Amino acid sequence: SYAVTVKLPYSGEDFSVPSILHLLGTMNTADRSLTMLDTALRRRFDFVEMMPDPDVLGDISVKGIHLANLLRTLNERIDVLYDREHTLGHAFLMPVKLIAESDSEDAAFDSLVSVFQNKIIPLLQEYFFEDWQKIRLVLGDNQKPADLQFVTEEKLTNQSLDALFGAGHGLNQYGDEQSRYTLQLFSEPVWQDPQAYLGIYASQKAATEMTQVSDGANLA
């Protein structure tokens, strides 16, 4: 039984929680500002870790975009580039799944676009402190054609740097290339192109399949 009765310190009245009510508290372990609170709570309560579970998205696809594969690939890349504590929860894509099951595919895709523009992209910007090179890696933009990239990269030559800064700027003197990154405006067609989302994980899937075939050939 979970029934609990306590006396409120100010009013002196009794406050009770009935046995049929279960209280569950959640917290985001990625927020390191809560470290001391987290330590205090762990001494008093049992903790159950709930990591993102792409499988709860089922086999739902929206305009050819497999939601579980999409989330799984994003999180595998975040895990390598940051850590597992900052992976994206499946709750981000649950609204897309529910709309796909109960409404039109167009409505589900509109929801997916909204999730990326208003939740996932801003979160990646916060995670990686505007390090657009890593954000491009997470989104697979480095493996997509230019017209399917959410974040584009422009290599700056010595000539373009001279035009920007004048002679003697000292950039690129050790062979390091400077780049300019651009997050496509949310009004740009790329956000409405299903292939841009499919390309996030399709290239990795193809590479995995090629590796498996190669390994099989070596074993043979």
Side-chain angles (χ1 to χ4, degrees):
S1 174
Y2 289 93
V4 175
T5 300
V6 296
K7 188 175 294 292
L8 299 177
Y10 293 107
S11 66
E13 297 179 358
D14 289 335
F15 176 81
S16 61
V17 177
S19 59
I20 60 172
L21 179 64
H22 293 255
L23 297 179
L24 300 176
T26 63
M27 64 185 302
N28 188 347
T29 56
D31 189 348
R32 293 304 179 186
S33 65
L34 297 177
T35 301
M36 297 305 296
L37 176 61
D38 186 17
T39 302
L41 289 173
R42 287 184 186 278
R43 292 201 302 265
R44 296 168 174 83
F45 299 95
D46 293 334
F47 274 62
V48 178
E49 183 180 64
M50 294 186 64
M51 295 300 291
D53 184 5
D55 291 336
V56 303
L57 298 170
D59 201 33
I60 298 293
S61 291
V62 177
K63 293 187 179 295
I65 306 160
H66 194 275
L67 299 182
N69 287 341
L70 176 65
L71 180 64
R72 186 175 292 109
T73 299
L74 289 170
N75 281 339
E76 286 175 352
R77 290 171 178 162
I78 292 173
D79 187 6
V80 172
L81 295 173
Y82 202 153
D83 60 40
R84 66 192 295 272
E85 299 291 341
H86 288 79
T87 48
L88 305 173
H90 50 266
F92 281 112
L93 296 181
M94 285 301 294
V96 183
K97 174 181 183 291
L98 295 176
I99 294 174
E101 292 173 333
S102 62
D103 205 333
S104 69
E105 190 173 33
D106 286 339
F109 181 69
D110 288 343
S111 177
L112 178 64
V113 173
S114 177
V115 167
F116 262 80
Q117 291 184 345
N118 300 317
K119 296 182 182 297
I120 292 179
I121 295 298
L123 193 60
L124 293 178
Q125 289 178 254
E126 179 181 342
Y127 278 176
F128 295 106
F129 301 97
E130 308 287 341
D131 185 338
W132 292 106
Q133 183 180 23
K134 288 184 178 179
I135 295 173
R136 272 174 53 84
L137 291 175
V138 172
L139 298 173
D141 283 334
N142 61 307
Q143 304 178 68
K144 299 182 200 171
D147 60 337
L148 296 180
Q149 296 176 12
F150 298 124
V151 181
T152 60
E153 179 182 19
E154 177 190 359
K155 297 291 186 181
L156 299 179
T157 64
N158 282 325
Q159 183 177 1
S160 60
L161 290 171
D162 288 345
L164 279 173
F165 301 104
H169 50 69
L171 300 173
N172 282 0
Q173 59 180 330
Y174 300 112
D176 297 331
E177 286 188 314
Q178 304 295 321
S179 297
R180 177 189 289 124
Y181 298 98
T182 303
L183 174 65
Q184 295 298 301
L185 295 175
F186 289 165
S187 58
E188 291 294 323
V190 64
W191 298 99
Q192 301 297 328
D193 191 335
Q195 292 300 316
Y197 301 88
L198 184 64
I200 291 175
Y201 67 87
S203 56
Q204 185 186 51
K205 181 180 178 182
T208 301
E209 291 175 349
M210 290 180 61
T211 301
Q212 291 173 344
V213 170
S214 176
D215 290 344
N218 290 336
L219 290 174

